[in-house]
Amino acid sequence: MTGAADHRNPIVSIVALEKHFGAFRVLHHVSLDVFPGEVVCLIGASGSGKTTLLRCINQLAQQDSGAIWVDGELNGFTIANGRLHRRSEREIARQRLATGMVFQRFNLFPHLTALENIVEGPVEVLRRPRAAAAEEVQALLARVGLADKAGHYPAQLSGGQQQRVAIARALAMHPRVMLFDEPTSALDPELVGEVLAVMKELAASGMTMIVVTHELGFAREVADRVVFMDHGRILEQGPAEEVLLRPREARTQAFLSAVLG
Ligand SMILES: Nc1ncnc2c1ncn2[C@@H]1O[C@H](COP(=O)(O)OP(=O)(O)O)[C@@H](O)[C@H]1O
Ligand SMILES: [Mg+2]
């Protein structure tokens, strides 16, 4: 009986999302549920709306219509007397902590060491005592294979190491869901594996993850579900094997052929 899974509540629920930039429709009727512990890989051509969708989930961008629930809360709004009320910036900042974002460019502070980059959030935002936070950060650095790099500055680290620091920095805020936007696209090919290995470990630990990636091998091995986006819509989705090996849609087939060369 696999019924247990069917009764879980989604941890991210996206309903009928629409977003435009001027006259350009970047997201069209996007609906997607992601369940606790699930790894969902988002694939699709450049410009199909993948980044914008992630940015809406963690409220770096705001949709024109539709709704997103994260961990049981409606993003950006409260509902009272049947009406939507915009949340304060402070409330939105609090909500944003539920999702940890890892970008294509690592966005580390160049003047801070690896440890300082990671410890900043827990101390300044979560108001954790610095000594306790630093201890936890050391453990996180060990988890991403960088125990000996705590005192290094970003310029002294490879791209793969910097990206692993960025992952540790997001994890230090104890997010419920991790969002990855092409985390290996800016890396030299020989550094991709070390970052994917950390992401694999994270997935195995039960973290809920939404991953935009062109790494189809990773998607096939790690993703529970693959979602193909095309011109702002979800064109098809399903188990990784199904979408990647037996895509139903011609556009998915064309995209996969292009990526595989
Ligand atoms: N801030 C913005 N203003 C105007 N157009 C944008 C903006 N952000 C993204 N776009 C456009 O929206 C489309 C989708 O972008 P994006 O979400 O980045 O797609 P993807 O991540 O799949 O490449 C692209 O055509 C892009 O040029
Ligand atoms: Mg993008």
Side-chain angles (χ1 to χ4, degrees):
M1 172 85 187
T2 57
D6 302 330
H7 299 294
R8 291 174 305 174
N9 291 317
I11 191 159
V12 176
S13 186
I14 301 167
V15 182
L17 216 63
E18 299 281 337
K19 183 165 180 64
H20 293 74
F21 289 116
F24 179 76
R25 189 169 67 185
V26 58
L27 293 176
H28 182 48
H29 207 84
V30 171
S31 296
L32 182 69
D33 283 342
V34 178
F35 293 89
E38 219 185 357
V39 177
V40 173
C41 280
L42 280 183
I43 63 172
S46 180
S48 57
K50 307 179 300 295
T51 293
T52 304
L53 182 58
L54 289 190
R55 287 171 57 85
C56 287
I57 295 171
N58 88 335
Q59 302 192 65
L60 291 172
Q62 203 193 324
Q63 68 270 20
D64 300 328
S65 65
I68 302 177
W69 276 265
V70 176
D71 200 17
E73 284 192 10
L74 181 60
N75 260 4
F77 296 91
T78 53
I79 305 173
N81 305 321
R83 288 202 179 160
L84 288 177
H85 301 272
R86 185 80 180 138
R87 290 180 190 265
S88 66
E89 284 307 314
R90 190 193 169 95
E91 268 287 286
I92 288 171
R94 178 190 61 75
Q95 289 193 312
R96 191 171 288 130
L97 294 174
T99 49
M101 185 98 157
V102 175
F103 303 90
Q104 187 172 345
R105 302 266 162 206
F106 333 118
N107 299 344
L108 299 177
F109 292 115
H111 61 289
L112 298 180
T113 64
L115 184 132
E116 289 164 350
N117 262 285
I118 304 170
V119 100
E120 179 91 0
V123 169
E124 298 299 328
V125 181
L126 303 182
R127 299 285 166 205
R128 299 253 292 132
R130 185 169 291 271
E135 208 167 298
E136 189 183 330
V137 167
Q138 257 318 328
L140 275 173
L141 279 168
R143 186 174 178 190
V144 299
L146 296 173
D148 55 341
K149 297 288 191 280
H152 284 55
Y153 288 88
Q156 300 172 308
L157 299 171
S158 72
Q161 291 169 334
Q162 289 182 60
Q163 190 60 300
R164 286 186 279 149
V165 171
I167 293 171
R169 179 180 56 181
L171 291 175
M173 303 304 278
H174 297 283
R176 300 300 313 277
V177 179
M178 285 284 285
L179 309 174
F180 293 86
D181 192 2
E182 298 197 42
T184 61
S185 294
L187 299 177
D188 291 332
E190 74 273 21
L191 303 177
V192 168
E194 65 191 54
V195 172
L196 294 181
V198 165
M199 292 168 63
K200 254 179 236 177
E201 186 274 326
L202 196 56
S205 79
M207 177 62 78
T208 309
M209 295 165 51
I210 305 177
V211 183
V212 174
T213 187
H214 295 299
E215 295 290 336
L216 300 183
F218 173 85
R220 193 173 157 193
E221 193 181 335
V222 181
D224 296 296
R225 196 146 44 105
V226 170
V227 173
F228 177 68
M229 287 189 65
D230 182 67
H231 291 103
R233 302 166 189 254
I234 292 177
L235 193 62
E236 75 174 291
Q237 61 171 304
E241 293 272 309
E242 211 168 277
V243 175
L244 296 175
L245 300 181
R246 295 179 295 280
R248 289 188 307 270
E249 301 287 337
R251 298 193 70 92
T252 315
Q253 289 166 18
F255 172 78
L256 293 173
S257 305
V259 170
L260 295 170

